[in-house]
Amino acid sequence: MNAYIEKCMLLPEQRSIIVEAIVKGKKEYQSINSLIPDFVTKTYQPRMQYDCVNTYVEKAIKENPHTQLKVTRRKAGFHPYIVIHDTVRNVFILVSRLPKYKHIYSPSRYRGDYASANYARLLEMGAPQEELLSESPFQASLSLGEEYAPFGIIVSYDSTSDAIYEGALQPDQKDWIYNEDITKSIIENARDVVPFVSYKSSDVEPRLKQSVEDDIVVKLKDKTD
């Protein structure tokens, strides 16, 4: 089954770009936090770190369009977040801070939305059902094809250490399908990759043909008595 999971995981350059952006966002947070007075209650800290990380991740994705990743801003109730979409493989990526002293998130509706089709996607790809599901309850749905079954990934980072993980939740959010430490996955030469630009007809600005008449100078006949 690992072979099927690997096909849905982040590609090396995608992983490197996201990890590097998280590291930069956390450093930016530390720089800003060092300038703020030592308040008695520091409720702003986790939110500020989260905002810094999301800002740097969004910027990195937009600066590397050749990775075929697109980033969208969303909101779940009063909780704003960003979701990254691998448009070629139909994989969605959430970037989220891991709660203290926890190896997994508490179930939530928006994370559940991105995990709900994970089993279906792997089964569509041919993963053995008995190995994937084991004794886990799973409601099979009508097969729509691999390309229509999205796969959801969470890139989670620890707020107090350098640890960064990549994983995919089971649809019931009770455990991980996989969860790997990707802290040291930054590719030094990732920036040397030549961007591939895919042009669409809508991206090309139409140029109006200049009228020939604009170049014709009409000479008026001198008035004679």
Side-chain angles (χ1 to χ4, degrees):
M1 185 183 68
N2 290 339
Y4 298 100
I5 293 176
E6 288 175 1
K7 291 181 180 179
C8 295
M9 294 172 68
L10 291 174
L11 301 177
E13 188 184 5
Q14 295 174 344
R15 185 180 297 120
S16 175
I17 289 171
I18 293 173
V19 169
E20 185 177 8
I22 291 174
V23 171
K24 288 181 178 179
K26 292 178 71 175
K27 286 182 179 178
E28 178 72 9
Y29 158 74
Q30 291 171 353
S31 298
I32 296 174
N33 190 49
S34 66
L35 303 175
I36 298 177
D38 188 19
F39 296 121
V40 174
T41 55
K42 303 176 182 180
T43 58
Y44 67 89
Q45 287 186 336
R47 295 195 298 271
M48 183 187 294
Q49 186 186 62
Y50 179 76
D51 291 340
C52 286
V53 167
N54 283 345
T55 300
Y56 274 83
V57 169
E58 181 185 81
K59 182 174 182 288
I61 297 301
K62 290 183 176 180
E63 288 178 347
N64 293 275
H66 65 283
T67 59
Q68 303 298 320
L69 296 177
K70 289 187 177 181
V71 62
T72 307
R73 299 178 188 180
R74 299 278 179 85
K75 184 176 287 188
F78 296 103
H79 174 67
Y81 67 99
I82 61 172
V83 57
I84 305 165
H85 185 205
D86 183 325
T87 57
V88 174
R89 299 183 299 152
N90 197 20
V91 173
F92 290 89
I93 307 105
L94 300 177
V95 177
S96 183
R97 182 177 62 88
L98 193 64
K100 279 187 176 181
Y101 313 116
K102 284 192 174 183
H103 79 286
I104 197 168
Y105 299 90
S106 299
S108 69
R109 182 174 179 179
Y110 85 98
R111 277 192 293 267
D113 288 341
Y114 293 103
S116 60
N118 283 351
Y119 276 167
R121 171 64 174 265
L122 294 172
L123 291 172
E124 289 280 5
M125 295 173 64
Q129 184 170 337
E130 63 279 2
E131 186 178 345
L132 174 63
L133 303 180
S134 185
E135 298 179 358
S136 302
F138 177 70
Q139 180 63 48
S141 59
L142 181 65
S143 175
L144 297 176
E146 175 185 331
E147 64 274 17
Y148 296 105
F151 192 79
I153 291 173
I154 297 182
V155 176
S156 51
Y157 58 92
D158 189 276
S159 61
T160 56
S161 73
D162 296 332
I164 302 175
Y165 304 91
E166 175 191 337
L169 290 170
Q170 294 178 352
D172 60 8
Q173 304 181 62
K174 292 182 179 180
D175 202 354
W176 297 99
I177 295 176
Y178 80 93
N179 193 34
E180 295 189 0
D181 189 331
I182 60 170
T183 309
K184 298 180 180 180
S185 62
I186 295 178
I187 302 173
E188 294 298 332
N189 62 349
R191 300 294 177 181
D192 297 333
V193 177
V194 179
F196 172 75
V197 181
S198 177
Y199 290 104
K200 300 178 182 178
S201 58
S202 58
D203 297 332
V204 181
E205 183 179 355
R207 299 182 63 184
L208 298 178
K209 185 178 180 181
Q210 187 177 17
S211 174
V212 177
E213 294 180 357
D214 294 342
D215 296 330
I216 299 177
V217 178
V218 179
K219 185 175 181 182
L220 298 178
K221 185 178 180 181
D222 292 337
K223 183 178 180 181
T224 56
D225 295 335

